[in-house]
Amino acid sequence: MDLFNIFSAFGLSASAGLNAYIPLLVVSLVGRFAPDVMKLSPPWDVMTSWWIIGLLIVLSIIEFFADKIPAVDTVNDAIQTFVRPTAGAILFAASAHVVTDVNPVLSLALGLLVAGGVHAVKATARPVVTATTLGTGNAVVSAAEDFTATVMSILAVMVPVIAGVLLILIAVFILWWLVRRASTSRE
C-alpha cells in the first residue's frame, strides 16, 4: 500500500504546481466526505473543516479568473511562486498517511520540490504563450492547466497508479520539450 501512497503524494504535489487550490480542495472534500478513501491524520485533518473548504473554494474561484487574464496572470504567477510549492509540500505530507511513514521534513521537502518544479516549468512557458499569441492563448492554456490539475488530483486520490503513470508521461514530455527548445535556440 505504501507505493500507492507515494504515487498519490507525488500526483497531488505535482497538481499543486499547476494550481495550488484545486488539489487542496479535492483532498479536503475527499477527507470530509469519504474518509475511508483518504483519512487525514492530525494536524492535516484540519483541512476537512468547513472553514478551510470554504476558503479553498473562494481561493479557487479567484485563481480561476485571475489566471485567465493577460498581465494579471503574470502577477498571479509571481504570487503563486510561494503558494504552489507550499501547497505541494502540505499535500505530499498530508496525503495518504505518507507523513507517518516518512520523516515529515523529507515529505515536506519532496512536495515542495515537485510542486516548485512543475510551477517553474509553467511560469517559464506562460510568457512564451503570452508573447506568441498576444495574450489570446492564456485563457485556453489556463483552462487546460486547471483541467489537468483537477483530473490529476482526483486520479491521485482515487487511482494513484494511473496518476503515477501520467506523471511519468508528463515529465518525459516536459523533458522532450525543454531539449527541443534548447536545440532550436542554438540553431
Side-chain angles (χ1 to χ4, degrees):
M1 256 331 180
D2 286 336
L3 186 60
F4 293 128
N5 295 340
I6 296 297
F7 282 149
S8 183
F10 274 105
L12 288 167
S13 59
S15 295
L18 291 175
N19 184 310
Y21 307 115
I22 289 172
L24 286 169
L25 184 59
V26 167
V27 167
S28 294
L29 291 171
V30 171
R32 177 77 182 188
F33 295 109
D36 53 317
V37 173
M38 178 176 273
K39 180 162 177 45
L40 298 173
S41 302
W44 312 112
D45 60 341
V46 73
M47 292 173 58
T48 62
S49 150
W50 283 114
W51 290 104
I52 298 298
I53 292 170
L55 177 64
L56 289 171
I57 290 170
V58 169
L59 291 171
S60 293
I61 292 169
I62 291 168
E63 165 96 6
F64 178 83
F65 289 108
D67 206 36
K68 307 292 184 279
I69 303 166
V72 175
D73 71 335
T74 304
V75 173
N76 182 53
D77 271 345
I79 293 167
Q80 296 299 323
T81 296
F82 303 101
V83 176
R84 290 179 183 140
T86 303
I90 290 167
L91 287 160
F92 197 103
S95 65
H97 314 292
V98 171
V99 80
T100 60
D101 299 335
V102 176
N103 184 311
V105 174
L106 178 60
S107 62
L108 288 167
L110 285 171
L112 184 108
L113 289 171
V114 170
V118 171
H119 174 69
V121 170
K122 171 189 163 128
T124 302
R126 187 57 80 86
V128 174
V129 171
T130 302
T132 58
T133 66
L134 300 175
T136 59
N138 289 23
V140 173
V141 170
S142 177
E145 292 165 353
D146 292 344
F147 177 78
T148 302
T150 302
V151 169
M152 181 63 83
S153 298
I154 292 168
L155 287 175
V157 172
M158 304 305 235
V159 193
V161 172
I162 292 175
V165 170
L166 280 175
L167 265 178
I168 292 167
L169 291 174
I170 290 168
V172 167
F173 173 76
I174 290 170
L175 287 172
W176 170 81
W177 180 76
L178 290 171
V179 167
R180 184 172 174 247
R181 185 172 173 217
S183 67
T184 57
S185 66
R186 284 187 217 140
E187 294 174 357

